[in-house]
């Protein structure tokens, strides 16, 4: 195949699947986002993901506990991040060393008078402002991505409701299965960008596909050319399948143009919400900003420890009680700085395996359960669904039309010619046989 054909394919934005590697100018990009160099994320089994999800849901229920119970927890708290931060321990060691030095000598060093003229509180004020701003930005980002996840679930429910009431059972069931498969494949595709995710095809998509029979073997074979773990293209193709299902239902006369447009709008809204998740994951906060915060923290905390240590008394003014109190203040400042920075960093990527991340399994299983309820719903007096399984014909016997008794108020038309008299009743002519 000539290079001109590849050039024409590139100009239209599409490359044939058989194109050689040199025809693809950017191998590090897939689905418009940068791919990871390698799958460095540890492979978790579905049981591991379920265990994390269970603990994650339990963590959400702790927010309204009394303060003394909240303080009794360690996992999922700021203490875990503070204890593992080397900057915190460096700051405390600096303070302890200076106070140990102060308690071993009887004179006042000349540096004490010099330190009295310094003021690190200004730097602390600036750092506090930027840290709080950083946490607010990442929290807004976190809630926005949570909204995208719930919007995806909501659009699937919308389609399930309309499909249940407007389409034959087999057509509606196929559409809902394709839509749920696109939902799950979308979360798997997140593994290709950002910090990656623990949800893979083998431990996530295949589990739900085998359990709920979302896609047939033939459909899986058609999608096999997509690398679901390293691309969101599988989700895009499944979403297109949903649109094709709707278009086919319109061509078959099962829905009208208004219903078709409504369903297409919901499908496109789902794709837009999923794209929003991909966009936020692909573009985290600027490294320049995070490096700036880390640099300020690395300079401020040691300076704060030195300032507090030199102001705790020397010579005859030494008090062990004051040393302990000042040490607690230094530790609290470390908790404030390291805790806020760690909190903001954890909210950058909510689709990982941290306890603070979003409950993806809960969203997926909740959506599947709601769709199953919608598809199996039966209104009293309207009979059972047309089929209980895919492609199964209805076993219900059609009801015979009921015999309607002739109304006594209905005017009989004579079969034979009979004299008809007309009588005027309240301004209307009534035929009287």
């Amino acid at each position: 195949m000539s290079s001109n054909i590849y050039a024409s394919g590139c100009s239209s934005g599409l490359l044939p699947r058989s194109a050689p590697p040199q025809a693809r100018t950017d191998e590090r990009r897939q689905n418009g986002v940068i791919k990871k160099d390698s799958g460095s994320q540890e492979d978790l089994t579905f049981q591991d993901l379920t265990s994390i999800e269970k603990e994650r849901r339990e963590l959400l229920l702790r927010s309204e506990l009394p303060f003394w119970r909240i303080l009794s927890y360690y996992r999922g708290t700021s203490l875990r991040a503070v204890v593992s931060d080397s900057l915190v321990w460096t700051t405390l060691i600096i303070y302890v060393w200076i106070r140990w030095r102060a308690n071993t000598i009887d004179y006042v060093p000349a540096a004490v008078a010099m330190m009295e003229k310094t003021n690190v509180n200004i730097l602390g004020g600036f750092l506090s402002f930027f840290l709080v701003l950083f946490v607010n930005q990442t929290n807004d980002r976190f809630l926005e991505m949570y909204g995208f996840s719930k919007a995806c679930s909501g659009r699937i429910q919308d389609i399930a409701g309309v499909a249940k009431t407007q389409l034959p059972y087999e057509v509606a069931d196929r559409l809902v299965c394709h839509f749920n498969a696109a939902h799950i494949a979308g979360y798997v595709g997140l593994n290709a960008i950002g910090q990656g995710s623990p949800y893979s095809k083998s431990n996530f998509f295949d589990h739900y596909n085998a359990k709920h029979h979302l896609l047939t073997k033939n459909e899986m074979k058609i999608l096999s050319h997509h690398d679901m773990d390293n691309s969101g293209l599988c989700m895009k193709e499944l979403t297109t399948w949903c649109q094709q299902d709707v278009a086919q239902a319109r061509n078959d006369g099962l829905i009208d143009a208004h219903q078709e447009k409504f369903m297409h709008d919901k499908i496109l809204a789902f794709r837009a919400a999923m794209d929003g998740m991909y966009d936020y994951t692909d573009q985290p906060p600027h490294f320049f900003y995070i490096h700036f915060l880390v640099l300020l923290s690395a300079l401020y905390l040691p300076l704060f420890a030195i300032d507090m240590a030199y102001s705790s008394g020397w010579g005859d003014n030494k008090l062990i009680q004051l040393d302990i109190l000042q040490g607690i203040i230094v530790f609290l400042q470390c908790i404030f700085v390291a805790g806020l920075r760690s909190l903001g960093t954890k909210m950058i990527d909510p689709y990982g395996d941290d306890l603070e991340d979003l409950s993806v399994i809960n969203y997926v299983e909740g959506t599947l359960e709601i769709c199953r309820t919608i598809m199996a719903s039966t209104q009293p007096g309207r009979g059972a669904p047309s089929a209980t399984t895919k492609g199964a014909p209805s076993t219900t016997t059609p009801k015979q039309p009921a015999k309607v008794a002739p109304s006594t108020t209905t005017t009989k038309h004579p079969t034979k010619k009979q004299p008809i008299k007309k009588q005027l009743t309240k301004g209307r002519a009534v035929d009287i046989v």
Side-chain angles (χ1 to χ4, degrees), residues 131-398:
L131 281 173
V132 173
L133 180 63
F134 174 60
V135 171
N136 285 335
Q137 290 176 345
T138 54
N139 183 64
D140 292 341
R141 170 194 178 91
F142 184 91
L143 295 178
E144 190 77 15
M145 297 177 81
Y146 168 75
F148 287 143
S149 294
K150 299 302 290 184
C152 291
S153 177
R155 301 299 74 77
I156 295 174
Q157 296 174 42
D158 294 340
I159 290 295
V162 176
K164 166 65 179 178
T165 57
Q166 303 297 331
L167 298 175
Y169 183 84
E170 295 81 3
V171 179
D173 185 63
R174 182 174 65 251
L175 173 59
V176 174
C177 285
H178 287 167
F179 217 176
N180 278 284
H183 187 208
I184 302 172
Y187 285 115
V188 174
L190 288 172
N191 192 44
I193 55 179
Q195 300 298 321
S197 74
Y199 311 104
S200 65
K201 179 181 180 296
S202 59
N203 70 0
F204 196 65
F205 184 89
D206 290 345
H207 170 81
Y208 287 111
N209 188 42
K211 182 178 180 180
H212 298 280
H213 308 286
L214 301 176
L215 300 178
T216 64
K217 291 182 178 180
N218 186 42
E219 290 172 334
M220 289 295 297
K221 184 178 180 180
I222 295 174
L223 296 172
S224 61
H225 66 278
H226 292 303
D227 186 2
M228 190 182 298
D229 288 320
N230 293 300
S231 171
L233 295 179
C234 186
M235 176 269 296
K236 294 297 182 68
E237 181 162 348
L238 283 168
T239 305
T240 305
W241 284 12
C242 296
Q243 292 184 278
Q244 292 173 340
D245 291 339
V246 173
Q248 185 62 43
R250 171 71 174 121
N251 293 336
D252 294 341
L254 301 177
I255 54 176
D256 57 25
H258 176 74
Q259 294 166 336
E260 180 189 18
K261 181 180 182 303
F262 175 83
M263 298 177 79
H264 278 304
D265 289 342
K266 295 300 181 181
I267 295 173
L268 294 177
F270 164 85
R271 191 175 67 182
M274 193 65 72
D275 285 343
M277 293 160 50
Y278 277 71
D279 294 341
Y280 271 96
T281 305
D282 184 50
Q283 181 57 62
H286 294 292
F287 175 74
F288 186 95
Y289 188 23
I290 297 178
H291 179 271
F292 175 70
L293 293 177
V294 173
L295 179 62
L296 284 181
S297 302
L299 294 176
Y300 169 71
L301 286 179
L303 287 177
F304 181 79
I306 294 172
D307 182 68
M308 295 296 292
Y310 272 93
S311 63
S312 297
W314 294 80
D316 297 336
N317 295 326
K318 298 189 297 289
L319 287 174
I320 188 64
Q321 295 87 347
L322 183 60
D323 291 344
I324 296 174
L325 179 60
Q326 295 283 65
I328 294 175
I329 294 176
V330 172
F331 181 64
L332 290 176
Q333 192 74 342
C334 291
I335 293 177
F336 174 77
V337 174
L340 283 180
R341 179 166 50 83
S342 177
L343 174 61
T345 304
K346 282 184 175 295
M347 290 190 294
I348 290 177
D349 182 19
Y351 297 110
D353 56 0
D354 294 330
L355 295 180
E356 300 81 12
D357 290 335
L358 294 177
S359 304
V360 172
I361 292 181
N362 181 68
Y363 306 153
V364 170
E365 292 187 350
T367 305
L368 288 169
E369 182 66 25
I370 292 173
C371 289
R372 184 163 54 248
T373 302
I374 292 174
M375 298 303 295
S377 63
T378 303
Q379 187 176 1
R382 292 187 179 271
S386 59
T388 56
T389 58
K390 291 184 178 180
S394 175
T395 57
T396 56
T397 304

